Amino acid sequence: MIIETKNARETYEVGEKIGRKARPGQVYTLMGDLGVGKTVFTQGVANGLGITEPVSSPTFTIIQEYEEGRLPFYHFDVYRIGCIEEMDEIGYEDYFYGNGICLIEWANLIEEIIPEDAISITIEKDLEKGFDYRRIRIEGMEEL
Ligand code: ADP
Ligand code: MG
């Protein structure tokens, strides 16, 4: 599925719909260059799950946990991970195979441990279509 957005609000709303639909145990991977809208999208997901506290990038902690929503929300950013053993150390399996929702930024760096049924989301710019245009590709989900 491909969704095109014209501004940050629309990208937020795509995330929101995914958050509202998310079922226990679902893992989402989120890819895209710096400044493309990963945090905007993630904030939408969190809102869709009923989380009201502010969501930012967990860049220095690998994982940020939010418990106040409809389901626990685990936001990973593995950009600074040195080796896969660091994921073992934080006990990633309890998160990936638990009943909460996982959203993993830079998941390509830990590809070997991403569950097969993860839903893959990639956000891209296309400057020919304007500065605020984004193409959001979602694999593993039929509709929003
Ligand atoms: P990332 O987390 O991927 O580094 P951010 O979500 O922090 O990116 O920032 C995205 C920036 O791009 C924000 O300033 C946002 O307002 C802007 N933006 C412009 N158009 C869009 C769009 N269509 N979708 C998402 N963000 C957009
Ligand atoms: Mg970000």
Side-chain angles (χ1 to χ4, degrees), residues 38-39 57 105:
K38 298 184 298 298
T39 296
S57 285
E105 296 194 35

Side-chain angles (χ1 to χ4, degrees), residues 1 3 8 27 30-31 46 63 72 76 78 85 100 108 116 129-130 134 137 141:
M1 171 177 34
I3 299 155
V27 175
L30 181 56
M31 252 85 72
I63 178 174
F76 292 78
V78 299
E85 283 70 36
N108 54 306
E116 263 187 27
K129 301 206 173 186
R134 301 291 189 273
R137 200 171 57 238
M141 217 172 129

Side-chain angles (χ1 to χ4, degrees), residues 90-110:
I90 62 167
Y92 80 88
E93 286 179 309
D94 290 345
Y95 297 107
F96 287 14
Y97 299 100
N99 289 321
I101 302 301
C102 290
L103 187 146
I104 309 160
E105 296 194 35
W106 296 99
N108 54 306
L109 299 176
I110 57 164

Side-chain angles (χ1 to χ4, degrees), residues 5-8 11 32-41 57 105 131-134:
T5 68
K6 297 187 296 293
N7 53 56
T11 296
D33 295 337
L34 196 70
V36 84
K38 298 184 298 298
T39 296
V40 168
F41 181 90
S57 285
E105 296 194 35
F131 189 67
D132 291 344
Y133 171 90
R134 301 291 189 273

Side-chain angles (χ1 to χ4, degrees), residues 2-17:
I2 289 175
I3 299 155
E4 299 174 292
T5 68
K6 297 187 296 293
N7 53 56
R9 179 83 223 163
E10 288 183 7
T11 296
Y12 182 93
E13 284 168 3
V14 173
E16 213 173 19
K17 282 183 188 159

Side-chain angles (χ1 to χ4, degrees), residues 54-139:
V55 172
S56 56
S57 285
T59 309
F60 296 101
T61 50
I62 297 186
I63 178 174
Q64 197 82 51
E65 308 189 23
Y66 302 88
E67 302 284 352
E68 64 159 315
R70 175 170 70 81
L71 294 165
F73 181 48
Y74 308 119
H75 181 200
F76 292 78
D77 185 335
V78 299
Y79 184 69
R80 286 189 163 72
I81 201 156
C83 57
I84 214 83
E85 283 70 36
E86 283 180 47
M87 292 301 290
D88 291 327
E89 281 162 28
I90 62 167
Y92 80 88
E93 286 179 309
D94 290 345
Y95 297 107
F96 287 14
Y97 299 100
N99 289 321
I101 302 301
C102 290
L103 187 146
I104 309 160
E105 296 194 35
W106 296 99
N108 54 306
L109 299 176
I110 57 164
E111 213 173 356
E112 58 264 56
I113 60 167
I114 298 297
E116 263 187 27
D117 61 354
I119 292 170
S120 153
I121 301 159
T122 310
I123 311 178
E124 288 167 339
K125 293 187 186 182
D126 183 346
L127 290 176
E128 281 179 13
K129 301 206 173 186
F131 189 67
D132 291 344
Y133 171 90
R134 301 291 189 273
R135 187 183 298 113
I136 304 175
R137 200 171 57 238
I138 306 178
E139 290 161 285

